[in-house]
Amino acid sequence: MTSSFKNVILLASACFIFGNSLEAIDIPGFGGGGGANRNVFITMSKSPNLIIDQIAQQNFPNRETKLAALRNGLLSHSINTQSPILKFLGTQAIPIQYDSIWISNQIYLKGVNSRLLSTISSLYPSDIASISDETFSFINYAYDEEPYNATVKQSNSYTWGLNKIQAPEAWSLPGGNNGAGIVVGSIDTGVLRTHEALVGNYVGEYGWFDPTKLKTSTPTDVNGHGTHTVGETCFQHYFDRPQ
């Protein structure tokens, strides 16, 4: 799911986590015959960690330049390693739906059968680390959410935790450090939009997306974990809390 709080964007996958099982290429059912159509991930043998390690060893003038170099490096790495397979997919009589995932150097194939997968694994054995089915993992609900009308509590003092990490001192330093204008994104179990620490900090329009079957239109949390983590990064509980 995805939501936004005044200076916050919350991306939350409330009920499902999308993943792959990373099984071996020769798992049963991937060879011989057409088989039922399936959605799979092809993980390339050349890990993106190669690029990440190279970037980590270099010096950059600032964080923005470093992130740009990392992004460009990973993108170039995926293009170079995935191109043979992507070209092969482009030659098929029936168009193949796929997505190139450059950040993890994977290819996501939608609705393919075992015959095609067996052909790919036999043509490019050294290029592929694994082929695995798309899987869905359910999160156990910690509680049944019951929305409530929250009231923001005001206080003249910070809790001991904020004082312990010297957060007020950091907020008062010259040049900012108070989070004003910062938009924060989160991918988690969701967010309780009425929580007293977050109710006044929601971005609003285009600030929430729920990819699950629930398709909720406003921030919702059926587990509680997402509300906890977002509350740590984006709370606006006290009257003198920076924006």
Side-chain angles (χ1 to χ4, degrees):
M1 295 179 182
T2 310
S3 77
S4 305
F5 280 69
K6 201 168 185 178
N7 291 333
V8 187
I9 294 179
L10 307 176
L11 311 169
S13 50
C15 293
F16 307 106
I17 296 176
F18 301 93
N20 55 350
S21 55
L22 295 179
E23 302 191 32
I25 294 176
D26 59 350
I27 60 176
F30 269 41
N37 288 348
R38 62 224 296 185
N39 302 332
V40 303
F41 290 90
I42 297 178
T43 301
M44 309 305 296
S45 58
K46 292 186 178 180
S47 170
N49 290 336
L50 298 171
I51 304 301
I52 295 173
D53 291 341
Q54 290 176 10
I55 297 298
Q57 295 172 11
Q58 300 178 38
N59 295 319
F60 297 90
N62 52 56
R63 183 172 182 270
E64 182 179 358
T65 304
K66 182 176 183 179
L67 291 178
L70 178 59
R71 187 263 183 191
N72 293 335
L74 290 174
L75 182 58
S76 178
H77 180 68
S78 68
I79 292 174
N80 292 335
T81 55
Q82 297 178 19
S83 58
I85 296 177
L86 298 183
K87 288 180 181 179
F88 170 78
L89 294 175
T91 64
Q92 302 305 298
I94 300 177
I96 305 296
Q97 296 185 54
Y98 69 86
D99 283 314
S100 173
I101 309 173
W102 57 267
I103 198 168
S104 59
N105 204 15
Q106 293 177 297
I107 301 173
Y108 173 71
L109 300 178
K110 185 174 182 179
V112 295
N113 58 39
S114 296
R115 181 184 292 112
L116 177 64
L117 295 172
S118 179
T119 300
I120 292 174
S121 63
S122 63
L123 289 175
Y124 310 100
S126 62
D127 296 326
I128 299 174
S130 65
I131 299 178
S132 56
D133 285 296
E134 177 182 34
T135 61
F136 297 84
S137 298
F138 290 86
I139 298 176
N140 294 326
Y141 293 171
Y143 63 88
D144 292 327
E145 180 192 3
E146 296 182 1
Y148 63 95
N149 294 321
T151 57
V152 179
K153 298 177 180 179
Q154 305 296 328
S155 173
N156 293 320
S157 63
Y158 297 108
T159 59
W160 70 268
L162 294 177
N163 289 322
K164 185 70 174 179
I165 64 173
Q166 297 181 296
E169 288 83 351
W171 294 331
S172 64
L173 289 173
N177 304 296
N178 61 10
I182 301 299
V183 178
V184 179
S186 172
I187 302 176
D188 211 306
T189 62
V191 173
L192 182 62
R193 65 192 179 280
T194 55
H195 192 285
E196 60 186 20
L198 300 169
V199 67
N201 215 16
Y202 179 45
V203 171
E205 189 176 14
Y206 302 114
W208 174 259
F209 174 68
D210 181 356
T212 73
K213 64 181 180 181
L214 298 179
K215 302 298 181 185
T216 56
S217 59
T218 56
T220 307
D221 191 355
V222 294
N223 178 270
H225 186 272
T227 302
H228 176 93
T229 56
V230 170
E232 290 182 328
T233 57
C234 310
F235 75 94
Q236 192 171 25
H237 190 112
Y238 299 102
F239 80 97
D240 51 359
R241 166 73 168 94
Q243 296 181 358

